[in-house]
Amino acid sequence: MPELGLFQNILSNLIWVILISGFLVWIAHRTNNVNWKLVDLCALVLGAVGFLVPAFEVQRIGFEIEANAQRGWTGGELSGLKNWTDVMLTNCRPSVRSEYSPPDFDLLVEESEEVCRWAEQLNEFVTGLDRDNYQEVPGGILTSFPSVREAPMRYHKVEVFEFLNGWNQHVRERKAVEANALRAPPVGLLLFSPYLLALAFSLAVAGVLLKPRN
């Protein structure tokens, strides 16, 4: 790839860019044919564009730091999710009618069994997750929550969905941060930024040394 020479010989290339551009400005100056306002403007614009690459890099490093923090946070969130499903399954014990059972005992048992089947489905999904293999709870699981008056394991449906939606929100945020952490400056900008800065430096030096002073 011929363009790799721009990277491999970067130091000598930059020296040549500075020397040649400075020499051209000096020649133009000798002929009194220099628009110094244009030279200053070009130096300013080229320098500003050249500095975009380090700006992109600082941003990417920031996202990398945040991604590492999110990775640690995922472990805690996932631990809570697994503990929560374990508690739901622990409460899935057979119920026996007694003289103290409420009138709607049979309905409560039926609802409890429905929620337990749903909890087993959720637990099967959660068991396959870890800190690096993390996914949103599928919409199919969320929508399949049984239509019961109240979850019989001391959890209301609202609480259930608040917890699961909080996990899904964390997953989306982490994926977005990790995607941003992989974003590098545009290839063209990465390739030419050092040369833009070299041109800006050369024009600025020429302006300082050659520009007529009133």
Side-chain angles (χ1 to χ4, degrees):
M1 300 175 66
E3 63 271 16
L4 287 180
L6 294 175
F7 287 114
Q8 295 166 347
N9 306 307
I10 186 70
L11 183 59
S12 60
N13 289 342
L14 291 179
I15 291 174
W16 278 110
V17 168
I18 293 171
L19 292 177
I20 291 174
S21 58
F23 178 72
L24 292 176
V25 175
W26 179 78
I27 291 295
H29 171 67
R30 296 284 292 179
T31 61
N32 294 319
N33 192 27
V34 178
N35 184 336
W36 288 108
K37 179 177 286 189
L38 180 61
V39 171
D40 291 341
L41 180 61
C42 288
L44 179 63
V45 171
L46 292 174
V49 175
F51 276 121
L52 287 177
V53 167
F56 276 118
E57 284 301 305
V58 169
Q59 178 178 267
R60 184 180 60 80
I61 291 171
F63 279 120
E64 286 180 350
I65 294 173
E66 186 176 352
N68 288 331
Q70 289 274 17
R71 186 170 181 267
W73 182 252
T74 298
E77 289 284 286
L78 185 57
S79 176
L81 185 61
K82 289 181 177 180
N83 289 339
W84 186 78
T85 55
D86 288 342
V87 168
M88 290 192 69
L89 293 175
T90 300
N91 285 297
C92 289
R93 296 188 297 266
S95 299
V96 179
R97 180 186 288 276
S98 70
E99 58 181 315
Y100 302 106
S101 297
D104 58 348
F105 174 80
D106 292 336
L107 179 58
L108 287 173
V109 170
E110 181 181 346
E111 290 181 338
S112 177
E113 290 176 348
E114 290 182 18
V115 175
C116 285
R117 285 193 293 270
W118 181 86
E120 290 172 356
Q121 181 186 8
L122 175 64
N123 185 65
E124 183 179 355
F125 168 77
V126 171
T127 302
L129 302 179
D130 58 45
R131 190 167 64 172
D132 295 312
N133 175 34
Y134 61 99
Q135 304 173 39
E136 292 186 50
V137 177
I141 293 181
L142 296 177
T143 57
S144 64
F145 191 94
S147 299
V148 295
R149 297 166 298 169
E150 181 178 320
M153 280 84 70
R154 308 192 195 110
Y155 287 99
H156 293 278
K157 182 176 180 179
V158 172
E159 295 171 335
V160 172
F161 276 74
E162 283 181 353
F163 196 96
L164 296 183
N165 287 331
W167 164 261
N168 285 353
Q169 179 64 27
H170 168 70
V171 171
R172 288 191 292 269
E173 290 176 355
R174 179 176 168 185
K175 287 183 180 296
V177 169
E178 290 179 340
N180 286 326
L182 296 175
R183 292 175 59 185
V187 175
L189 189 60
L190 184 66
L191 188 65
F192 292 108
S193 175
Y195 299 96
L196 297 179
L197 288 174
L199 281 171
F201 173 77
S202 178
L203 295 177
V205 169
V208 170
L209 299 178
L210 303 176
K211 185 191 299 184
R213 306 299 174 187
N214 297 328

